[in-house]
Amino acid sequence: MSELVDVWIALGANLGARRASLAGALKAIDATRGLAVRRSSPWFETEPVGGPEGQPPYLNGVAELACSLSPRALLRRLQEIEVACGRDRASEERNGPRTLDLDVLFFGTDQIEQPDLVIPHPRLEERTFVLQPLAALIPERRLPRCGRTVRERLAELS
């Protein structure tokens, strides 16, 4: 893939040095050939959704990337960055605490449905912790499933 695609990712962390993990992830993404961070949202602190009780709060945000990688190569790179930050998917509990969580929200206008890669992210429109930072950057973007803008959908859920 050689043309640049607008990609949006979600970033979250609730273990360790959260701000440092998120900033480090953006730096690692920007240093990756075929990726460039165009802009990122402010960080929003939110309570965990699901998972074990007693988790610390998350810091969440989104970033817009210029990407010349394939969706699969992008996913692999994001997972490598998570591992470098201490994430161990094999031993973590579903919706459990994380040193770093990186999810692909949008890959241009592509719609992909594969067992381990669904774009747009399948739970994007249900998650205020993703919609809030997304609304800080692109409030008028239409969401594919509900047809509402990010701002409208966030207002519905708030």
Side-chain angles (χ1 to χ4, degrees):
M1 173 169 239
S2 58
E3 71 181 60
L4 287 179
V5 176
D6 294 332
V7 171
W8 289 86
I9 63 165
L11 303 92
N14 75 335
L15 291 179
R18 301 174 305 165
R19 285 187 193 281
S21 295
L22 297 168
L26 288 174
K27 190 172 183 177
I29 289 166
D30 206 42
T32 299
R33 184 183 175 125
L35 294 176
V37 177
R38 287 189 173 145
R39 59 186 172 150
S40 61
S41 73
W43 304 121
F44 293 88
E45 189 167 79
T46 61
E47 291 302 313
V49 175
E53 289 189 33
Q55 290 187 66
Y58 273 86
L59 276 185
N60 292 294
V62 298
E64 177 187 17
L65 313 178
C67 177
S68 64
L69 304 178
S70 70
R72 176 79 44 209
L74 172 63
L75 177 64
R76 273 194 309 273
R77 180 61 184 134
L78 295 179
Q79 289 174 342
E80 290 168 359
I81 293 168
E82 289 175 338
V83 168
C85 194
R87 184 166 182 184
D88 180 6
R89 287 179 181 269
S91 67
E92 73 185 21
E93 186 174 344
R94 180 170 165 74
N95 297 320
R98 303 210 170 111
T99 55
L100 182 63
D101 189 23
L102 302 173
D103 291 320
V104 180
L105 301 175
F106 302 112
F107 193 92
T109 58
D110 290 4
Q111 293 190 15
I112 301 168
E113 291 213 25
Q114 298 173 1
D116 60 343
L117 180 62
V118 178
I119 301 173
H121 192 285
R123 291 175 304 284
L124 158 69
E125 297 180 24
E126 306 161 13
R127 295 178 163 177
T128 57
F129 63 87
V130 175
L131 292 170
Q132 186 178 23
L134 202 55
L137 297 179
I138 52 170
E140 300 308 314
R141 176 157 183 164
R142 290 244 169 244
L143 297 167
R145 290 180 178 84
C146 70
R148 291 173 184 75
T149 66
V150 170
R151 180 185 45 76
E152 291 167 339
R153 184 64 181 143
L154 181 58
E156 285 179 351
L157 295 176
S158 297

